[in-house]
């Protein structure tokens, strides 16, 4: 201060670093110098002189790995309690690239437990480092700048250097995979030993000129001595490994005591050789696989081992051979005594018999064959292992003739003459030599067995069915089985029946056939009419017959039978509501016949009906007319409306015939005599009740509502709802169909309560939809059809029209919201910033249109306004939005950005009628860019004289790092930039003792060597530097030529001797050099 106080120990400096104290292990402190004499002459410590002041010392210690910007405040107070101005200090701690931090995954690799590999083991791979390897320390200090540099880095490479490189093969030195942490190396052949390996770990930001950011890790590798059987050793070379295997005693070669003490063993275990390859590998040698496979502990002699090729390269080719020679395998599954190669059975049985092995080739039961005769006579087999002799081969032993035949072997069964037996039918006596008789016909040997008037037949001539012949009468009137027929009835095959007459055979004798007579079968005595008895031998020529017909049975019709209009002569007319039936019911109608009647005589006929009973609802009133059957058999009747039930009638036919065959002249069948009246038939008419269709009335067939009307209910729309006559208990169901379902969010339906006679129509139009729907309403019931199955009858109303009228809707659209563009980027188009652009919700086929005019659809346009009029200075023109594509176009003003905050604009969509959408906000961020620096260069050729000394002149003028905010320190990250000139000597560098440099102010300095002359070219580039990041941005570049002109230098002489001594009167002297 200037008030006479001096710095004393009582002076203090207060430093406030909160909240950034975690950047430091020792927080910043400021000390005040103390001591000396007071300016006023008073004794005491000297502090800061008031006039010049003094310097204060700032002391701090940074926390490890801390980086970023720390702001703290400093205030000095003197002993009198007065405080100086509060000062703010900013400390920038630049982040540096920290070294990676590799660590061993386990103790393997440490000197106590080195990575170990056997000698001559080839390439080795083993896990070593923990992964992922950190590219630097973790960001452990809260509140500091994030470790972006370290977090974004990767491990670029790991370089390993062993202390004993001779331990490894060429190109096989230790290497570590940065991604997996795996160590790979290949030991040199026949080398053992231990080496320390030091690896340098480099990250992706490594400075190649510095080791401060390099990580390191060290470990040990040991290669131990191998064995005789290791790859490349004597044992491995001698034993090929394919056919022989090398075995060592397990001692390491390194002791030089038991070297090459290997053994080569055949892979089949058969043979071996010490210190050399085995010459043979017999599969059947003792201990080999073949010898073991062909050895049976229970029966050692069961089979033997055979190796067709004992060479080293043909191992595993052995075969176990049965002792009887009847099979082979590994071991054999069968040892057949009768095989072709067997030494026993086949030869012993010879040609008169064949060999059979009863145990099916059981290897444990060899040489136990049996010889069986070729005719299979001794299937039970005589003594084993012997050929047949004597009568062992009896052809009949196996009963070759079968049932119904007897076999005889004429030679008694000699083996030399087989299959010469004779078969004889037991009943007929037929014979066959060498095979069974094919047939034994009962009638062949005794054709007269049935006698006179009968014929013998054998239905089955098989030898197994003998004695089953048949005797059939010649008139087919009788049949006897295994004996002649007892009688032959001429009427058994009735020749009279075809004529409707009765047959009579007076004797049925087998010897008197075809003497039958036919008699009329109507039971009428014609003798009184002088017509005779009607009896004759054979058929009667004419028999009187009454009328006849064939009835079609029951008639089943529906209650809803279609109307039939009957002939006017019948005086029946079906009126409204009547149903009629007319079908042929009686067929095969014949008139009565009598003796002497000719076909030209016509008779009158008539069907007569008599009601027997009737059942069912309204059965007594089922018919309004009929039923009636006309002379041609057609049944006709009319039904009453809604009548159903069952009616039964008796029906018969009468005609005008008479016993004499002459038609009655006056009436039809007087007294209904038996000769003119047919047999009665029954007629059953069943009328099945039908399901009548329901019915209802519509009150309104055109309904008009406004768009977005919500749920609509038309009360009492359906009236007089009925299920049909006599069908009140049926359930009814309304079904509704329309041709424009997209018009509704709730489709039209009829709300109906069972039993009610009225119903409501309900629907809800789809929001924003308009148009017309044609609706059909059907009423279905739950009745049954004629066949008993459910058939739902339908009643429908005339088509209903529902019209939803259009109203103008608010336009709408969607947007992308925030937009980010780059400073000085010119015209920017953001494609489809606005989407789903609509002048109003689409309604039917029109869209949102004024007055529902389909030929004049609405259009829409976007209105854009600044929320802050001052933001207009950031744009050359107001942003626009295309009404169809939604593309947003923005033209930012040069050198304008939104560092101070984004620009917000209001956007609405306006339709043809002036109706606006909801307000949307367009937020625009203009990202600042680092503009390249510029300057105005001086002369592009600078001329100096040789030895002219230091050149220091202003060469670059009007130096600019960019727009105002880039140089004033107000703005985004590019504020407060500084110009940096970089000079590059392209040619003539040898001319300069001080290379050309350009100061930030644009002054060019250089100095040439004293005797140098010539020309040099220098490239001058202006950069601006971001003080926060240190990043340089290149700007203008110019190339300047510096010409050093030579000058004429004065001669130079150098005296080599400072004095000369000559003798007195020596005369002229010449001193060389």
């Amino acid at each position: 201060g200037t008030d006479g106080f001096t710095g004393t120990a009582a002076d203090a400096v207060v430093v406030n670093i909160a909240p950034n104290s975690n950047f430091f292990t020792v927080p910043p402190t400021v000390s005040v110098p103390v001591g000396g004499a007071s300016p006023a002459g008073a004794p005491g410590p000297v502090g800061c002189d008031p006039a010049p002041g003094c310097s204060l010392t700032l002391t701090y210690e940074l926390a490890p790995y801390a980086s970023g910007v720390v702001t703290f405040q400093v205030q000095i107070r003197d002993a009198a309690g007065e405080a100086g101005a509060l000062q703010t200090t900013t400390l920038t701690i630049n982040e540096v690239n920290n070294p990676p931090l590799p660590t061993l995954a386990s103790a393997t690799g440490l000197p106590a437990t080195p990575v170990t590999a056997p000698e001559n083991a080839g390439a080795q791979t083993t896990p070593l480092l923990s992964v992922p390897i950190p590219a630097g320390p973790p960001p452990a200090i809260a509140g500091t700048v994030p470790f972006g540099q370290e977090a974004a880095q990767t491990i670029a490479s790991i370089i390993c250097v062993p202390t004993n490189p001779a331990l490894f093969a060429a190109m096989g030195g230790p290497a570590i995979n940065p991604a997996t942490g795996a160590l790979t190396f290949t030991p040199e052949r026949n080398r053992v030993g231990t080496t320390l390996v030091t690896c340098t770990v480099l990250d992706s930001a490594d400075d190649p000129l510095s080791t401060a950011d390099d990580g390191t890790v060290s470990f040990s590798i040991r290669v131990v001595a191998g064995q005789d059987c290791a790859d490349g050793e004597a044992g491995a070379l001698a034993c090929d490994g394919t056919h022989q295997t090398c075995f060592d005693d397990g001692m390491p070669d390194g002791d030089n005591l038991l070297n090459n003490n290997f053994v080569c063993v055949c892979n089949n275990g058969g043979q071996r050789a010490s210190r050399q390859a085995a010459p043979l590998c017999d599969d059947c040698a003792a201990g080999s696989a073949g010898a073991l496979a062909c050895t049976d502990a229970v029966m050692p002699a069961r089979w033997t081992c055979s190796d067709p090729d004992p060479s080293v390269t043909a191992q595993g080719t052995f075969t176990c051979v049965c002792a009887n020679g009847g099979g082979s395998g590994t071991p054999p599954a069968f040892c057949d005594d009768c095989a072709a190669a067997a030494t026993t059975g086949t030869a012993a049985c010879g040609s008169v018999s064949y060999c059979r092995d009863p145990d099916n080739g059981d290897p444990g039961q060899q040489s136990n064959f049996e010889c069986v005769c070729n005719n299979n006579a001794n299937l039970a087999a005589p003594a084993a292992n012997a050929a047949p002799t004597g009568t062992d081969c009896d052809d009949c032993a196996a009963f070759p003739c079968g049932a119904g035949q007897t076999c005889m072997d004429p030679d008694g069964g000699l083996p030399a003459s087989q299959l010469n037996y004779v078969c004889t039918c037991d009943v007929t006596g037929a014979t066959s030599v060498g095979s069974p008789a094919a047939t034994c016909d009962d009638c062949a040997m005794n054709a007269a067995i049935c006698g006179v008037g009968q014929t013998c037949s054998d239905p089955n001539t098989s030898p197994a069915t003998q004695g089953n012949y048949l005797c059939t009468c010649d008139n087919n009137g009788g049949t006897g089985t295994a004996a002649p027929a007892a009688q032959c009835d001429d009427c058994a095959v009735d020749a009279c029946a075809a004529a409707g007459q009765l047959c009579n055979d007076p004797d049925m004798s087998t010897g008197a056939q075809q003497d039958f007579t036919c008699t009329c079968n109507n039971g009428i005595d014609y003798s009184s009419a002088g017509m005779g008895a009607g009896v004759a031998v054979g058929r009667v020529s004419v028999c009187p017959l009454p009328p006849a017909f064939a009835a079609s049975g029951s008639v089943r019709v529906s209650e809803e039978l279609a109307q039939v209009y009957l002939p006017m002569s019948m005086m029946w007319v079906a009126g409204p509501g009547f149903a009629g039936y007319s079908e042929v019911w009686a067929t095969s109608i014949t008139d009565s016949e009598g003796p002497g009647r000719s076909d030209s005589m016509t008779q009158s006929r008539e069907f007569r009906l008599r009601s027997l009973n009737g059942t069912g609802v309204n059965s007594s009133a089922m018919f309004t007319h009929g039923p009636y059957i006309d002379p041609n058999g057609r049944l006709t009747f009319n039904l009453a409306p809604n009548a159903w039930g069952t009616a039964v009638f008796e029906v018969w036919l009468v005609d005008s015939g008479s016993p004499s065959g002459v038609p009655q002249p006056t009436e039809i069948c007087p007294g209904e005599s038996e000769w003119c009246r047919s047999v009665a038939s029954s007629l059953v008419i069943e009328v099945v009740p039908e399901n009548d269709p329901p019915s209802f009335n519509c009150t309104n067939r055109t309904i008009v509502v406004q768009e977005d009307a919500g749920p609509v209910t038309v009360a009492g729309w359906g009236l007089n709802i009925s299920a049909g006559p006599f069908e009140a208990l049926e359930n009814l169901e309304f079904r509704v169909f329309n041709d424009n379902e997209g018009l509704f969010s709730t489709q039209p339906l009829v709300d109906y309560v069972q039993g009610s006679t009225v119903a409501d129509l309900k629907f809800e139009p789809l929001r924003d939809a308009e148009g017309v729907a044609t609706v059909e309403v059907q009423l279905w019931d739950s009745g049954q059809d004629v066949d008993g199955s459910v058939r739902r009858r339908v009643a429908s109303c005339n088509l209903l029209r529902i019209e939803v009228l259009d109203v103008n809707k608010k336009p709408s659209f969607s947007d992308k919201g925030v937009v980010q563009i780059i400073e000085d980027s010119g015209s920017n188009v953001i494609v489809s910033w606005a989407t789903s652009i609509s002048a109003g919700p689409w309604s039917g086929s029109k869209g949102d249109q004024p007055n529902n005019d389909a030929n004049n659809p609405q259009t829409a346009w976007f209105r854009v306004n600044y929320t802050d009029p001052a933001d207009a200075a950031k744009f050359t023109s107001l942003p626009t939005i295309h009404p169809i594509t939604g593309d947003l176009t923005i033209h930012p003003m040069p050198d304008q950005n939104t560092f101070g905050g984004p620009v917000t604009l209001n956007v609405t969509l306006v339709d043809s009628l002036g109706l606006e959408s909801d307000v949307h906000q367009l937020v625009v961020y203009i990202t600042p860019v680092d503009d390249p620096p510029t300057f105005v260069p001086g002369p592009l050729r600078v001329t100096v004289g040789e030895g002219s000394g230091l050149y220091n002149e202003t060469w670059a003028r009007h130096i600019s790092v960019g727009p105002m905010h880039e140089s004033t320190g107000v703005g985004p990250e590019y504020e407060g930039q500084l110009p940096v000139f970089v000079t590059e000597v392209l040619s003539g560098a040898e001319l300069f003792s001080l290379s050309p440099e350009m100061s930030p102010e644009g002054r060019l300095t250089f100095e040439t060597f004293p005797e140098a002359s010539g020309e040099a070219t220098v490239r001058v580039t202006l950069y601006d530097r971001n003080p926060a990041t240190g990043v340089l941005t290149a700007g203008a570049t110019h190339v300047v030529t510096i010409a050093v002109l030579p000058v004429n230098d004065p001669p130079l002489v150098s005296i080599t001797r400072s004095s000369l001594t000559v003798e007195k009167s020596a005369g002229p002297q010449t001193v060389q050099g």
Side-chain angles (χ1 to χ4, degrees):
T2 59
D3 54 1
F5 288 98
T6 60
T8 67
D11 293 340
V13 176
V14 178
V15 180
N16 179 18
I17 63 172
N20 304 120
S21 59
N22 52 359
F23 278 79
F24 306 96
T25 55
V26 176
T29 59
V30 177
S31 59
V32 179
V34 178
S38 169
V46 176
C48 295
D49 292 336
C54 64
S55 298
L56 305 183
T57 301
L58 174 66
T59 304
Y60 60 86
E61 182 177 337
L62 294 176
Y65 310 128
S67 65
V69 178
V70 182
T71 301
F72 54 90
Q73 295 176 327
V74 180
Q75 187 179 50
I76 187 167
R77 300 174 183 174
D78 60 20
E82 292 186 3
L86 191 66
Q87 304 291 328
T88 299
T89 298
T90 299
L91 174 63
T92 300
I93 308 169
N94 292 328
E95 182 182 10
V96 298
N97 183 28
N98 294 293
L101 303 175
T103 58
L104 295 174
S106 65
T108 301
L110 297 177
T113 55
V115 177
T116 303
E119 176 191 7
N120 300 329
Q124 303 291 305
T125 300
T126 182
L128 185 67
L129 299 184
S130 298
V131 290
I133 302 172
I141 302 174
T144 64
V145 174
F147 284 71
Q149 178 173 327
E150 307 294 343
Q153 291 175 11
T154 59
I155 302 302
S157 61
I158 302 178
I159 303 171
C160 297
V161 178
T163 58
N164 183 9
L167 192 61
F168 303 96
M171 305 303 292
I176 299 176
N177 187 317
T180 64
L183 169 67
T184 60
F185 62 91
T186 303
E188 181 63 80
R189 292 191 57 78
N190 302 320
R191 293 284 178 87
V192 296
T194 302
T195 182
L196 178 66
V197 182
T198 300
C199 297
T200 301
V201 182
L202 307 179
D203 58 28
S204 56
D206 180 73
D207 183 359
L209 302 180
S210 172
T211 60
D213 57 354
D214 298 347
T216 60
V217 63
S218 298
F219 54 93
S220 298
I221 297 177
R222 177 181 297 166
V223 181
V224 299
Q227 297 180 334
D228 291 329
C229 296
D231 186 23
E233 299 298 327
L237 297 175
C239 310
D240 62 3
T242 301
H243 306 94
Q244 302 182 47
T245 303
C246 178
F247 290 92
D248 194 20
D249 63 353
M251 301 296 292
D253 289 341
D255 58 12
N256 295 321
L257 296 177
L258 295 175
N259 198 22
N260 295 334
N261 60 332
F262 62 92
V263 176
C264 291
V265 180
C266 294
N267 290 344
N268 63 7
Q271 291 166 293
R272 61 181 58 202
S274 298
R275 301 187 179 183
Q276 64 178 354
L280 294 174
C281 290
D282 188 352
D283 289 325
C284 296
S288 67
L292 295 175
C294 298
T295 299
D296 192 318
V298 179
M299 296 181 63
R302 181 175 293 182
W303 44 65
T304 59
C305 179
S306 173
D307 186 355
D309 184 358
S311 66
V312 174
T313 58
Q315 298 182 46
T317 59
F318 69 92
T319 302
C320 299
V321 181
C322 296
N324 64 3
S328 63
T330 55
F334 300 97
C335 291
D336 190 355
D337 292 323
C338 299
T343 58
T344 53
T346 303
C349 292
S351 62
V352 298
S353 61
Y354 61 90
C355 180
R356 185 180 68 177
D357 191 342
D359 54 51
N360 295 322
D362 183 359
Q365 302 183 55
Q366 301 183 38
S367 299
N368 62 336
F369 64 93
E370 296 174 348
C371 293
V372 181
C373 294
N374 291 337
N375 62 5
N376 294 319
N378 54 347
L379 289 175
N385 305 333
T389 60
T391 60
D392 288 342
C393 296
D394 185 358
D395 290 333
C396 296
F399 306 101
C401 294
Q405 301 182 55
T406 301
C407 179
M408 180 188 67
D409 190 344
D411 54 39
L414 294 177
S417 57
Q418 300 180 44
L419 299 177
N420 61 340
Y421 62 95
V422 178
C423 293
T424 305
C425 293
D426 294 341
V427 176
T428 65
T431 60
S432 176
V433 177
S435 64
T439 61
C440 293
D441 190 348
D442 294 327
C443 298
M445 301 299 295
N446 189 4
I449 190 171
C450 292
V452 178
Q454 300 185 46
T455 301
C456 178
S457 64
D458 189 348
N460 189 345
T461 60
S462 170
T465 56
Q466 300 180 48
N468 64 332
Y469 64 93
L470 300 176
C471 292
T472 305
C473 295
D474 293 341
N475 64 357
N476 293 322
T479 303
T481 302
Q487 59 185 19
C488 294
D489 186 358
D490 290 330
C491 294
V493 182
D494 194 350
C496 302
Q501 301 175 26
L502 300 177
C503 180
N504 178 46
D505 186 350
D507 51 33
M508 292 186 292
S509 169
T510 59
Q513 300 181 38
Q514 300 297 328
D515 58 347
F516 67 93
T517 59
C518 292
T519 305
C520 292
N521 63 356
N522 57 9
I524 301 174
D525 183 5
Y526 294 98
S527 60
S528 60
M531 298 173 60
V535 178
V537 176
R539 297 184 183 87
V540 179
S541 58
V542 176
C543 287
L545 296 174
F549 66 94
S552 296
S554 300
V555 175
R556 192 168 188 259
V557 296
S558 168
E559 172 192 345
E560 297 179 355
L561 185 66
Q563 296 183 12
V564 176
Y565 295 92
L566 304 180
M568 292 300 294
S569 59
M570 301 173 62
M571 301 298 290
W572 294 0
V573 178
F578 292 90
Y581 176 89
S582 178
E583 296 291 341
V584 174
W585 179 80
T587 60
S588 303
I589 302 171
T590 58
D591 294 333
S592 61
E593 298 181 3
R597 175 183 175 274
S598 66
D599 292 337
S600 61
M601 298 179 179
T602 59
Q603 300 186 40
S604 299
R605 71 171 72 103
E606 177 182 306
F607 281 95
R608 297 178 179 177
L609 286 77
R610 181 170 63 91
S611 176
L612 298 180
N613 56 50
T615 61
V617 178
N618 296 329
S619 61
S620 60
M622 283 197 306
F623 306 100
T624 57
H625 298 89
Y628 166 78
I629 301 175
D630 69 12
N632 295 319
R634 177 175 293 275
L635 171 64
T636 305
F637 56 84
N638 279 5
L639 295 177
N642 300 317
W644 55 271
T646 302
V648 182
F649 298 90
E650 183 182 31
V651 181
W652 65 93
L653 174 65
V654 295
D655 63 12
S656 58
S658 67
S660 64
V662 178
Q664 296 290 332
T666 57
E667 61 177 317
I668 297 177
C669 196
E672 294 193 353
S673 301
E674 59 185 6
W675 58 78
C676 59
R677 184 182 189 274
S678 71
V679 177
S681 296
S682 293
L683 167 61
V684 178
I685 299 177
E686 181 183 3
V687 181
V688 181
E690 288 289 349
N691 177 29
D692 294 300
S695 62
F696 72 101
N697 298 122
C698 311
T699 60
N700 190 352
R701 290 189 173 87
T702 300
I703 298 174
V704 180
V705 297
Q706 294 290 333
E707 183 179 353
D708 300 336
V712 177
T713 299
V714 182
W717 177 83
L719 300 176
N720 302 324
I721 301 172
S722 171
F726 308 107
E727 297 174 4
L729 297 180
E730 290 185 1
N731 290 326
L732 299 180
E733 175 192 4
F734 279 96
R735 297 183 183 181
V736 182
F737 309 90
N738 77 84
D739 62 354
N740 190 2
E741 294 184 354
L743 187 61
F744 304 96
S745 58
T746 300
Q747 300 298 319
L749 60 88
V750 176
D751 188 4
Y752 172 70
V753 178
Q754 296 295 332
S756 176
T757 60
V758 296
D760 299 337
L761 176 66
K762 295 182 177 182
F763 61 90
E764 182 176 358
L766 184 67
R767 183 170 180 80
D768 301 326
E770 63 83 21
V772 176
T774 301
V775 181
E776 180 183 0
V777 180
Q778 296 179 352
L779 178 60
W780 291 63
D781 66 14
S782 58
Q784 287 188 337
D785 206 348
V786 176
D787 58 1
S789 62
V790 175
R791 182 175 69 136
R792 308 185 69 176
R793 301 299 296 271
V794 181
S796 62
C797 179
N798 290 338
L799 295 181
L800 165 68
R801 174 186 172 90
I802 298 178
E803 183 174 356
V804 181
L805 300 180
D806 179 41
V807 295
N808 190 26
K809 306 294 190 311
K810 182 187 296 185
S812 63
F813 67 98
S814 300
D815 65 74
K816 294 181 179 178
V818 177
V819 172
Q820 188 165 0
I821 61 176
I822 305 298
E823 176 188 345
D824 298 335
S825 58
S827 177
N828 289 265
V829 177
I830 293 82
V831 177
S832 299
W833 180 84
T835 58
S836 304
I837 302 169
S838 173
W842 184 261
S843 302
S845 60
K846 303 175 186 177
D848 200 24
Q849 304 148 1
N851 304 320
N852 290 328
D853 184 358
N855 298 317
N856 186 20
Q858 288 190 23
T859 58
W861 56 278
F862 283 97
R863 176 179 288 154
V864 182
N865 293 312
Y866 295 108
T867 58
D868 183 356
D871 287 334
K874 297 185 183 297
F875 303 93
T876 61
S877 61
L878 186 68
T880 60
I881 303 172
H882 195 280
I884 304 298
T885 64
D887 295 346
L888 169 65
T889 302
I890 303 176
H891 301 276
M893 188 73 74
D895 298 325
Q896 290 293 323
N897 58 64
T898 57
F899 176 75
V903 174
T904 302
L905 303 98
N906 290 334
V907 180
T908 58
L909 182 64
V910 185
D911 67 14
S912 303
L913 299 182
L915 187 61
E916 292 194 42
S917 69
D918 295 334
V919 177
H920 295 236
Q921 285 196 331
L922 166 60
V923 180
V924 180
Y925 285 87
I926 306 176
T927 304
V929 297
D930 186 5
D931 294 284
T934 61
F935 69 95
V936 176
L940 298 182
R941 185 178 181 86
V942 175
T943 304
V944 298
E946 174 187 344
S948 59
L950 179 67
Y951 180 89
N952 185 359
E953 299 292 339
T954 299
W955 181 80
R957 303 177 186 277
H958 304 293
I959 301 170
S960 171
V961 294
M964 182 175 64
H965 69 267
E966 296 188 11
S967 58
T968 60
V970 178
E973 56 181 306
Y974 307 114
E975 78 273 2
Q977 294 182 357
L978 300 175
V980 176
F981 280 101
V982 175
T983 57
E984 302 172 80
V985 179
L986 304 179
S987 65
E990 69 278 3
L991 298 177
F992 302 100
S993 60
L994 177 62
S995 294
E997 294 290 340
M998 189 76 67
S999 71
E1001 295 78 16
R1003 296 188 69 84
L1004 174 64
T1005 60
F1006 63 87
E1007 186 172 359
T1008 62
F1009 286 107
E1011 301 299 326
S1013 64
E1015 289 190 355
T1017 54
V1018 179
R1019 180 164 55 204
V1020 179
T1021 304
L1022 176 61
Y1023 292 82
D1024 58 19
R1025 182 174 64 85
N1026 188 318
T1029 63
V1031 175
L1032 297 176
T1033 301
T1037 297
H1038 296 278
V1039 176
V1040 59
T1041 301
I1042 300 177
V1044 182
L1045 303 178
V1047 297
N1048 186 21
D1049 296 309
L1052 297 178
V1053 63
S1054 176
I1055 305 300
T1056 62
R1057 300 180 184 182
S1058 61
S1059 64
L1060 291 175
T1061 301
V1062 298
E1063 292 182 1
K1064 182 179 179 182
S1065 301
Q1069 300 291 312
T1070 300
V1071 181
Q1072 299 292 331

